[in-house]
Amino acid sequence: MSNLGYEDELRSERSYVAGLYARLDAERARVKGEYNAALRGNGGTPVERDVEVRALAKAAKRLDVADNGLCFGRLDAISGEHSYIGRIGLFDEENEYEPVLLDWRAPASRAFYVATAATPENMRRRRQFHTRGRQVVDFTDEVLGRPGGGERGDAALLAAVNAPRGDGMRDIVATIQAEQDKIIRLDHPGVLVIEGGPGTGKTVVALHRVAYLLYTQRERMERHGVLVVGPNSAFLNHIGRVLPSLGESDVVFMTTGDLVPGLRVAAEDTPEAARLKGSLKILDVLAAAVADRQRLPEHPLPIELADVTVRIDAETAEWAREEARASGLPHNEARAVFTEIVTYVLTERAIARIGRGWLTRADREAWEQLRADLLKELAQNDKFSAALDELWPVLTPETLLAPLYMSPERLRAAGADLALLRADGDAWTVSDVPLLDELVDLLGRDKSADQAAEQERQAEAEYAAGVLDILQMDRKDLMDDEDHLLAQDLLYAEDLADRFLERDTRELVERAAADRDWTYRHVVVDEAQELSEMDWRVLMRRCPSRSFTVVGDLAQRRSVAGATSWDTMLEPYVPGRWVYRSLSVNYRTPAEIMTVAAALLAEFAPALKPPESVRACGVQPWSRRVTGDELPAAIEEFVRDEAGREGTSVVIGPPGVPGTVPASETKGLEFDAVLVVEPERILADGPRGAAELYVALTRATQRLGVLHRDPLPRALTGLVEMGPNRYPMSSVDRGLVLGWRD
């Protein structure tokens, strides 16, 4: 295409995209007007108005996020027709709702991502726009179906992967590749496992898959929402913009430590304690710990009543315990069975002693009255209540687990390893979360508290119903010109009753995050190789339909309780209902850095193949040996140098080194420049030190440096060694690193 022809095409595309923005603005104004009208309450019941307001608010939010990068390309078919692809779909209402912009998730948009010269999908050309704000800056054409015909498939992709990193993860709707698109659109109702090495885009592919599922199955999924589970809060902040930028807001982001609402996780387990808690064998420990709190009295417990003293002996308590356990109810609910048996025995004994001289079996009425009096007296007897609390206490997960951790005797009674012993039972860890969640079901609810709340709700509902009865006067007694007064009264009554129903007006995300019993329609699990067997039990409870997108890399597993294979974790829950897909192309890590990381991977996981980098950056990763005294200044020099550059940087090191963060906190994140400090100590830090170092080495998109005090580990000898008095970062960009010598 000549320069003149290109400029004409560019003006035409700018005009078309400007027209799309005009339609977007008009649609936004229409929705905003309807939203304001709904807020004013024009017609409908309060419930109907609330539903309408929520729906219009969501529609407005989707239109707002479309403003940035509304249209990112055009697809030309062999037939001569062409389609524009964008963030949302727009239609020409005056022309039988002809699409003027296709949503990237629509089936008709698929060719934009999968068409190649070898398989053109009946397409002739793919045009990709480079935009700034609402303006089309330029475009790149790829000719399809004509080998050697000027195809430029990497232009937009390489521009995206080479761009400096910002604070959060970006969406990839303009540069989705065929390998990724197949996974995003995969029609599978069960569990999809996406495995890929560093930089393969597995996380962003999983998030785009969620957006695709919400688009194709919105009615089914939107009511319950989607849960995204990540390794830490920094990672969730990093990815948290992707789905909102695609117009999807009914998504809850959590770490595994957030899965029990209201729990504060502030401590860290030893590797051995984490391993024990992560294994399914801990289920037997929890069941035994609950059973251990269902006690028998060592000596009979006296209960003094008005006319007689009765005793709860071991035989009575054992019978009651057997009946309660046989009921199959959770511990707190089974307490009612235990109480019923004990109460029966005590009343029978009391009746026999009280009525021995004057009450006959024939005097049924007196007999029943005595029984009722005794039952009432027992229910109000403090010693009887205390005895029940001693023998069958009402427990919460916290009041069971904290004392267990603090008591060697209780741990032994439950068959637990003493590695679980700790001084502060309430110092909750991430590994405690699935145990506490499991205990919610083992213990059950406290029925007495639930009954009190229900009685209060019923009283409020009865009050509201009474107001309605007062206001609903007989129409026969009203004149025609007074009908409007009746309508106003009834509307007021409906509003009043509606308020007493205490409708939950929180957004779905707020309600779901605060409700342990909330179930999601779909769950995304990132860094899934770190999850234990017990973690998976929690997540399976959160999604009864077993609809998951699981993302991970077994080579990066650090947790001793994590996955060694996917089938070990998933087959017990979804036998035959999970599929595996892999991503093999590294879009983030340049070949120079990946060569170093691959050498490490070959040592600690030789069976795993590293992803193939799609690009080279021309900058060799380097290493520099320093003394302990020189280390702080070298770190400061790196930080100062990177502060003057565009993009992001991080210093990763072993625990305890000032100015560094552990590799575990950078999982899933990416930075333009990375400095790894003392890799020899990272390797020595526990059984998964090699995986930790592998994560650290693969966070950089442009520049990687290593500072070491001891000799470099053998796997890192491919780094370019710098002299003791030379800091190379200022010369890296000039491509002089290889020439540095002492």
Side-chain angles (χ1 to χ4, degrees), residues 389-671:
D389 289 340
E390 178 183 343
L391 301 177
W392 199 286
V394 173
L395 296 170
T396 67
E398 291 83 358
T399 58
L400 176 89
L401 205 55
L404 177 69
Y405 287 151
M406 298 171 66
S407 169
E409 293 76 19
R410 282 183 167 159
L411 285 171
R412 291 191 190 96
D417 194 301
L418 290 181
L420 299 180
L421 185 67
R422 69 189 188 206
D424 186 355
D426 292 319
W428 303 116
T429 70
V430 171
S431 301
D432 288 328
V433 171
L435 278 62
L436 292 166
D437 191 74
E438 189 77 31
L439 285 169
V440 172
D441 290 342
L442 278 177
L443 296 175
R445 310 293 185 187
D446 181 0
K447 290 295 185 180
S448 60
D450 290 345
Q451 289 170 356
E454 180 60 28
Q455 289 173 355
E456 184 178 353
R457 284 193 294 270
Q458 288 179 354
E460 291 175 345
E462 289 172 2
Y463 175 80
V467 173
L468 282 171
D469 289 340
I470 294 171
L471 293 174
Q472 285 179 324
M473 296 178 292
D474 190 349
R475 278 184 176 274
K476 296 178 183 178
D477 298 333
L478 292 174
M479 302 294 293
D480 290 342
D481 60 354
E482 292 177 320
D483 282 351
H484 70 284
L485 296 176
L486 175 63
Q488 290 178 356
D489 285 343
L490 292 179
L491 181 60
Y492 166 76
E494 288 179 1
D495 283 337
L496 182 64
D498 194 51
R499 284 199 297 273
F500 274 104
L501 289 176
E502 291 190 354
R503 289 184 300 108
D504 197 334
T505 58
R506 295 173 297 172
E507 294 292 332
L508 180 145
V509 169
E510 295 178 273
R511 288 183 284 130
D515 186 355
R516 180 264 175 186
D517 294 323
W518 188 277
T519 58
Y520 298 89
R521 191 64 70 187
H522 190 79
V523 176
V524 177
V525 186
D526 208 332
E527 299 294 342
Q529 74 276 356
E530 304 297 343
L531 269 62
S532 69
E533 292 176 310
M534 288 297 293
D535 289 326
W536 281 110
R537 282 181 65 86
V538 180
L539 293 178
M540 292 296 170
R541 276 194 286 269
R542 300 297 191 270
C543 187
S545 64
R546 303 291 195 263
S547 178
F548 282 76
T549 299
V550 176
V551 181
D553 179 12
L554 294 178
Q556 297 185 55
R557 177 178 68 88
R558 182 177 183 272
S559 170
V560 293
T564 55
S565 68
W566 299 117
D567 60 344
T568 300
M569 289 298 185
L570 298 176
E571 196 65 22
Y573 302 105
V574 283
R577 284 193 59 224
W578 68 278
V579 296
Y580 175 88
R581 295 291 185 271
S582 63
L583 292 168
S584 58
V585 180
N586 188 334
Y587 299 102
R588 177 182 70 210
T589 316
E592 295 88 346
I593 295 176
M594 200 61 218
T595 298
V596 176
L600 175 65
L601 182 66
E603 281 207 357
F604 81 90
L608 299 177
K609 183 179 179 182
E612 183 178 352
S613 294
V614 76
R615 68 188 178 96
C617 65
V619 178
Q620 291 295 327
W622 56 270
S623 65
R624 177 184 171 194
R625 190 168 186 176
V626 296
T627 65
D629 293 337
E630 295 170 336
L631 183 61
I635 293 174
E636 290 177 11
E637 193 172 355
F638 168 85
V639 173
R640 186 170 57 251
D641 189 77
E642 286 300 326
R645 299 172 181 269
E646 186 179 6
T648 59
S649 63
V650 69
V651 181
I652 301 175
V657 176
T660 72
V661 298
S664 57
E665 293 184 14
T666 66
K667 277 197 154 187
L669 307 182
E670 55 186 37
F671 306 87

Side-chain angles (χ1 to χ4, degrees), residues 198 586 589-605 610-611 613 615 617 619-623 674 676 679 683 690 693-700 702-708 712-721 737-738:
N586 188 334
T589 316
E592 295 88 346
I593 295 176
M594 200 61 218
T595 298
V596 176
L600 175 65
L601 182 66
E603 281 207 357
F604 81 90
S613 294
R615 68 188 178 96
C617 65
V619 178
Q620 291 295 327
W622 56 270
S623 65
V674 172
V676 179
L683 268 177
L693 182 55
Y694 183 65
V695 170
L697 294 174
T698 54
R699 298 306 94 195
Q702 302 291 341
R703 302 177 294 279
L704 172 66
V706 173
L707 296 176
H708 61 105
L712 272 178
R714 183 180 60 182
L716 301 187
T717 53
L719 293 166
V720 176
E721 182 71 22
V737 170
L738 289 176

Side-chain angles (χ1 to χ4, degrees), residues 4-17 139:
L4 182 60
Y6 175 84
E7 291 299 329
D8 289 341
E9 284 280 313
L10 183 58
R11 278 193 293 271
S12 175
E13 299 294 24
R14 285 173 173 170
S15 176
Y16 190 88
V17 172
F139 64 80

Side-chain angles (χ1 to χ4, degrees), residues 156-230:
L157 173 63
L158 291 178
V161 297
N162 281 311
R165 266 49 194 171
D167 292 333
M169 179 178 283
R170 295 167 293 187
D171 68 62
I172 58 169
V173 291
T175 57
I176 292 172
Q177 302 303 295
E179 181 184 52
Q180 299 170 328
D181 186 79
K182 289 179 182 178
I183 295 174
I184 290 170
R185 298 175 192 267
L186 184 65
D187 183 17
H188 180 70
V191 177
L192 167 63
V193 176
I194 306 172
E195 184 163 28
T200 53
K202 54 188 179 292
T203 296
V204 74
V205 166
L207 296 176
H208 282 69
R209 175 169 166 77
V210 170
Y212 176 75
L213 292 174
L214 284 167
Y215 176 80
T216 57
Q217 305 174 29
R218 186 167 302 281
E219 186 174 347
R220 187 178 74 87
M221 294 185 66
E222 199 169 38
R223 189 175 302 172
H224 290 267
V226 173
L227 172 64
V228 176
V229 178

Side-chain angles (χ1 to χ4, degrees), residues 16-30 63 70 88-95 97-101 134:
Y16 190 88
V17 172
L20 293 177
Y21 274 108
R23 290 180 184 274
L24 176 68
D25 291 339
E27 180 68 7
R28 185 184 287 131
R30 181 188 66 79
L63 293 171
L70 173 62
I88 64 171
L90 293 174
F91 302 89
D92 185 354
E93 298 180 9
E94 297 178 358
N95 190 18
Y97 282 86
E98 184 74 18
V100 293
L101 181 66
R134 292 189 166 200

